[in-house]
Amino acid sequence: MRIALIVFIVLVFVQWLLPGTMIWSRERVLEIGKEFRFIVAPLDPENPFKGRYIRLDFQAGTHIVPDGSKFTTNEPVYVLLEDSAGYARIKEVVKVEPKMGDYVEASIIAVSVRDGNDIIWLKYPFEEFYMEEFKAPVAEEVYQKSLSDSTKVTYALVSVYKGDAVLRNVFVGERPISVE
Amino acid sequence: MIRLPKKELDELVATGVIDEVTAKRIEEHYEAKRKAAPNKLAIVLWCVGAVLIGTGIVLLIAHNWDELGKATKTLLAFIPLLIAQALCFYVIKKRMVPSALAEIGSILLFFAVATNISLVSQIYNISGTMADFLRTWTLLTIPLVYVLRSQVVAILVLCLATWQACLVGYGTSYNTPDTFPWLYVFSLIVLLPNYYWQLKSPNTSISLHFQNWLLPLSLVIVLGAFEVNNSAPYELYFVAYLALFVMLYLIGRLPFYTRHQLRLNPFLILGLAGILVILLAWSYDLLWEDRVWDIATLNLTRFVLFWVSILMAGVIAGFIVKTPENRKNSHVLIIASSLLVFIVTLVFFRNASTIGLLIINLWVLAFSISFIRRGAASDDLGTLNFGILIIAVLAILRFFDDKIPFVVRGSFFLLTGIAFFAANYFMLQKRKQKKTLEL
C-alpha cells in the first residue's frame, strides 16, 4: 500500500507538472515575447479531443535556400524572423540555435525544386487556432469572402521568444476572426 | 459458483440422503456466499457509466466555450483532474484496491488527464499530432494499471497504444525512426505482467475475457505497422502474419486458455482463421501472377518485419520443442508447419507459380484432412465438419478457376458433398452403436 501511495503521489505530480509546464512556458512567451504578424490562409478541421480549430497555412511557410540537399524531412530547424511592412518574413533558416535575434523552432515538411531554386517547406508549432465549435466553419467562410477585398489581410498574431512561439489570435483586417 | 437447486435439495431430503436441518444449512451457506460475492453486473455497469461520463466531459470541453475566460477555462481543466485524483487517493489510503471504486476512480482519472491536456492545448493553441497526444495520454495513465489495479484502464491503454501505433506506423510515408511503434512495444511490455497475473488468478473476470480478445486483435492490427520501409515486398507481410497466426494458435493451446470453451479462446480462433485465410489467398493464382522475384538479390535483413518474423519463428519453435503435448501431436505439427511450408514454397517456387499453387492447395487439403482425422478419432463432430468445411471453401474458390476443366471441378464438388454426408452419417452411427453397447 505504501509503495502504491508513493507511486501514485509521483504520478499525480507528473500529471500536474506536464500541463503546468505547458502553461508556464506559454505565459512567459505571451508576456515577454515579440509579436509578429504572419499572413495566413485558414482551413477548418477537427480534433476529437481538442475540438474544432482553423488550421493556418502560412505565407511564410516556404523559404529558398542555396542548397536543399543539406535539409532532410522532419529535421528540426530554427527560423529567424524579421519585420517587413508590418508582417513577418523569414530572414534565414539555420540548424543551430541562434544566440540572438527573433527566431522560432520549426521542422522541415519537404524539400523541393521550383524554377531552379531549392525550396524548403516549413511546419510551425502554432498552426492550429482553436475556436468555438460553430464559429470555426464560419471563420473559413469569412476568410474566403475577405479574399475579394484587397484591403483586408488575414494574419495570425504570434508572440515569439527564444525559439518558443504562442499563437495569440487570428485577424481578418483589424477584427479578430472569432467576432467576424 | 455451483449451486444446488431447491428441487434437488427437496429430492435429497425426500429420499433420506440428508435431513431437513442439513438441507436448510446448505441453502443458508449458498445464500450467504451469494450475498458476499460482488455483483459483477453492477460493477460492469458502474465502469460503463464512468467511461461514458469521462468521454462526455471530453466532448463538452471540445466544444470550446468562448464565453469563458482564459482563467476560468484553465481552472476548469484542473477540476476534473483534481476530483479524480482525490478519489483515487482516498481509495488507496483506505486500502480499497482492488475494488469497484478503485476501478471507477481510475477510469475518471484516465479521462480527466485527456481533458486536462486537451483544454490546456486549446487555451494556448498548442499544435500537435494526434499520435503525440495519445503518447502523452498513455504515458500519464499507464501506471494506474498497477497502482489501482484497474483492468478497465489496462483495456483502454491497450486501445490507445494500438491507435497510436496505427497512426505512426500506417499514417506516414516518411522513413524515419518516428514511424516505428515504440510506444506500443513499451505498453505491451508494461501490460503483460498484469495480464499474466489475471490469467493465473483462479477467478476469471469479464475484463480478462475482454483482454483475451483485445490482445491478439491488437497484435494483428499493429504487426504491419512495424515495417517502416515502404519498399518491403508483400510476401514478407504474408510470412510475418502467418508466423503471428501460428504463434497465436500455439498460445491458444496453453492450459490458461484450453480450460475455457472454444468461443472463449480468441488466440486459437484468430490463429486458425488467420492461417487459413493466408493459405487460401495463396491457393489462388492472383498473388502468384506477374511477379519476377529473386530472393538472392533481395536484402531481407534491412526490413524490420524480417527480424520480427525471425523472433516469432523462434517463439513457435520454443512452443513446439518445450511442450510434449505439441511435439507429439501430429495435428498441431501440421498446423504449425504451415509457416515452414509457406516459406519454402515462396523461396523455391515463387517464380514457378504452377508448382507453388499445387503445393499450397495440397497443403490446405492436408490441413483439412488432419481436422477430419482428429474429429473422427475424438468423436468430435465439430472438428470433423470444420475439416470438411475447409475443403468446401477450397472447392468454392476453385469454382471460379477457369483453368480447371468443368468435369474436374464438378467431380471435386460432388466428392466433397458426399464426404460431408458420409462422414457425419458414420460418426452418428458410431455414436449410436457405442450407446447401445453401454446400455
Side-chain angles (χ1 to χ4, degrees):
Chain A
M1 206 277 289
R2 211 180 149 77
I3 297 170
L5 198 64
I6 294 166
V7 175
F8 182 70
I9 289 167
V10 172
L11 181 67
V12 167
F13 177 71
V14 178
Q15 284 174 348
W16 279 78
L17 182 72
L18 186 94
T21 316
M22 281 159 76
I23 293 172
W24 178 78
S25 62
R26 263 77 190 180
E27 280 297 336
R28 193 179 58 142
V29 175
L30 288 175
E31 209 174 306
I32 51 178
K34 186 179 173 186
E35 284 182 353
F36 279 91
R37 293 169 167 194
F38 285 78
I39 298 176
V40 290
L43 290 166
D44 156 48
E46 183 187 293
N47 179 303
F49 297 100
K50 293 191 267 185
R52 272 193 184 275
Y53 61 93
I54 48 172
R55 196 180 65 75
L56 304 172
D57 198 0
F58 292 88
Q59 201 180 67
T62 56
H63 187 60
I64 296 174
V65 288
D67 186 3
S69 64
K70 283 184 180 168
F71 295 92
T72 51
T73 312
N74 286 340
E75 187 184 5
V77 286
Y78 296 92
V79 181
L80 276 150
L81 299 166
E82 63 183 0
D83 194 279
S84 166
Y87 296 103
R89 199 177 72 172
I90 298 175
K91 193 174 166 189
E92 200 183 353
V93 177
V94 291
K95 291 188 180 191
V96 184
E97 187 168 0
K99 291 212 167 58
M100 54 200 298
D102 299 306
Y103 60 93
V104 287
E105 264 191 78
S107 60
I108 307 275
I109 306 173
V111 183
S112 66
V113 181
R114 194 197 293 159
D115 304 327
N117 292 318
D118 287 0
I119 299 171
I120 51 170
W121 297 73
L122 298 159
K123 183 179 169 64
Y124 292 109
F126 46 85
E127 59 176 23
E128 292 168 10
F129 181 66
Y130 285 85
M131 298 183 74
E132 202 175 281
E133 189 177 0
F134 306 114
K135 286 185 179 170
V138 182
E140 198 187 330
E141 278 175 36
V142 169
Y143 165 72
Q144 294 297 340
K145 275 183 198 161
S146 77
L147 289 177
S148 56
D149 183 354
S150 60
T151 59
K152 276 186 177 175
V153 178
T154 305
Y155 66 90
L157 187 65
V158 181
S159 287
V160 173
Y161 179 68
K162 284 188 178 174
D164 290 331
V166 179
L167 174 57
R168 279 178 171 271
N169 211 338
V170 177
F171 294 84
V172 177
E174 288 310 312
R175 282 166 68 88
I177 199 163
S178 54
V179 293
E180 273 289 329
Chain B
M1 188 172 70
I2 300 160
R3 189 181 175 183
L4 277 177
K6 180 90 173 66
K7 215 175 106 188
E8 291 280 324
L9 277 175
D10 289 345
E11 202 182 311
L12 289 172
V13 173
T15 49
V17 178
I18 53 170
D19 56 29
E20 273 193 29
V21 182
T22 316
K24 202 160 184 324
R25 274 172 56 200
I26 291 173
E27 213 169 320
E28 278 168 3
H29 165 75
Y30 283 118
E31 191 57 27
K33 222 172 163 184
R34 191 182 64 83
K35 279 182 182 166
N39 187 342
K40 277 187 181 178
L41 184 69
I43 295 172
V44 171
L45 291 177
W46 287 339
C47 291
V48 171
V51 170
L52 289 173
I53 289 172
T55 40
I57 293 171
V58 169
L59 288 173
L60 277 177
I61 292 298
H63 172 76
N64 199 342
W65 304 85
D66 251 3
E67 298 80 3
L68 308 171
K70 197 162 84 174
T72 321
K73 275 189 188 176
T74 313
L75 195 71
L76 270 179
F78 285 91
I79 287 175
L81 188 72
L82 195 66
I83 294 171
Q85 283 171 343
L87 179 62
C88 292
F89 184 80
Y90 173 80
V91 166
I92 299 173
K93 197 81 185 137
K94 292 280 171 189
R95 295 170 189 265
M96 289 164 74
V97 176
S99 68
L101 197 62
E103 208 53 88
I104 292 164
S106 314
I107 297 167
L108 290 176
L109 183 52
F110 177 83
F111 285 104
V113 167
T115 310
N116 180 268
I117 310 168
S118 300
L119 204 46
V120 172
S121 306
Q122 204 182 71
I123 297 164
Y124 291 96
N125 295 307
I126 300 168
S127 307
T129 62
M130 179 61 91
D132 290 340
F133 174 77
L134 294 175
R135 187 180 54 213
T136 312
W137 188 5
T138 306
L139 292 176
L140 285 180
T141 50
I142 203 167
L144 296 174
V145 176
Y146 291 99
V147 177
L148 283 134
R149 310 237 193 108
S150 171
Q151 296 314 311
V152 179
V153 171
I155 293 168
L156 293 169
V157 163
L158 188 56
C159 291
L160 286 193
T162 307
W163 185 4
Q164 205 265 356
C166 290
L167 287 176
V168 296
Y170 298 122
T172 172
S173 56
Y174 307 129
N175 182 10
T176 66
D178 290 349
T179 61
F180 189 83
W182 287 113
L183 180 78
Y184 185 76
V185 177
F186 170 78
S187 304
L188 267 193
I189 293 170
V190 173
L191 292 176
L192 276 179
N194 168 66
Y195 179 66
Y196 179 68
W197 292 331
Q198 289 274 304
L199 276 182
K200 268 179 60 181
S201 156
N203 302 322
T204 311
S205 60
I206 299 166
S207 62
L208 178 65
H209 289 309
F210 259 104
Q211 289 177 57
N212 276 346
W213 272 103
L214 191 64
L215 192 61
L217 266 175
S218 149
L219 285 170
V220 171
I221 294 168
V222 173
L223 182 67
F226 276 90
E227 184 50 68
V228 292
N229 198 326
N230 291 321
S231 61
Y234 65 76
E235 288 88 344
L236 185 62
Y237 283 89
F238 278 100
V239 169
Y241 268 98
L242 191 56
L244 174 68
F245 288 127
V246 171
M247 194 175 78
L248 291 181
Y249 169 76
L250 291 174
I251 293 173
R253 284 188 49 78
L254 291 171
F256 293 128
Y257 304 102
T258 47
R259 65 184 162 139
H260 301 298
Q261 292 161 290
L262 181 66
R263 69 185 168 86
L264 294 175
N265 190 346
F267 284 88
L268 201 92
I269 296 172
L270 280 174
L272 266 182
I275 297 168
L276 275 172
V277 167
I278 291 179
L279 289 179
L280 287 170
W282 282 85
S283 78
Y284 224 74
D285 50 7
L286 200 74
L287 288 167
W288 291 90
E289 278 173 358
D290 304 327
R291 188 133 166 123
V292 182
W293 205 66
D294 186 9
I295 193 158
T297 58
L298 194 69
N299 180 15
L300 284 171
T301 53
R302 68 195 170 100
F303 302 117
V304 182
L305 269 190
F306 172 77
W307 296 107
V308 175
S309 305
I310 297 257
L311 184 75
M312 289 191 289
V315 175
I316 292 167
F319 269 126
I320 292 170
V321 175
K322 292 276 176 193
T323 327
E325 295 89 51
N326 287 338
R327 202 171 57 227
K328 290 174 185 164
N329 190 330
S330 60
H331 178 65
V332 176
L333 286 179
I334 285 182
I335 294 171
S337 306
S338 299
L339 178 64
L340 193 68
V341 171
F342 185 63
I343 293 172
V344 170
T345 312
L346 277 185
V347 170
F348 293 104
F349 305 107
R350 182 65 187 89
N351 298 328
S353 62
T354 320
I355 303 171
L357 272 169
L358 187 72
I359 293 173
I360 298 293
N361 275 283
L362 285 175
W363 189 255
V364 176
L365 214 57
F367 203 91
S368 55
I369 289 166
S370 176
F371 272 97
I372 296 168
R373 261 189 59 198
R374 191 181 162 85
S378 57
D379 193 22
D380 182 355
L381 265 182
T383 309
L384 183 129
N385 283 323
F386 182 65
I388 298 172
L389 189 74
I390 300 169
I391 302 185
V393 173
L394 196 65
I396 291 166
L397 286 177
R398 294 293 82 77
F399 186 88
F400 303 103
D401 201 337
D402 54 6
K403 283 179 193 152
I404 305 170
F406 281 106
V407 180
V408 178
R409 274 188 272 171
S411 311
F412 194 56
F413 264 82
L414 270 176
L415 284 172
T416 313
I418 292 167
F420 183 75
F421 281 118
N424 280 287
Y425 176 76
F426 284 121
M427 188 75 112
L428 291 172
Q429 285 295 318
K430 208 169 103 182
R431 275 190 189 174
K432 261 187 198 168
Q433 276 176 6
K434 217 171 160 185
K435 244 184 186 172
T436 323
L437 280 172
E438 275 171 7
L439 284 170

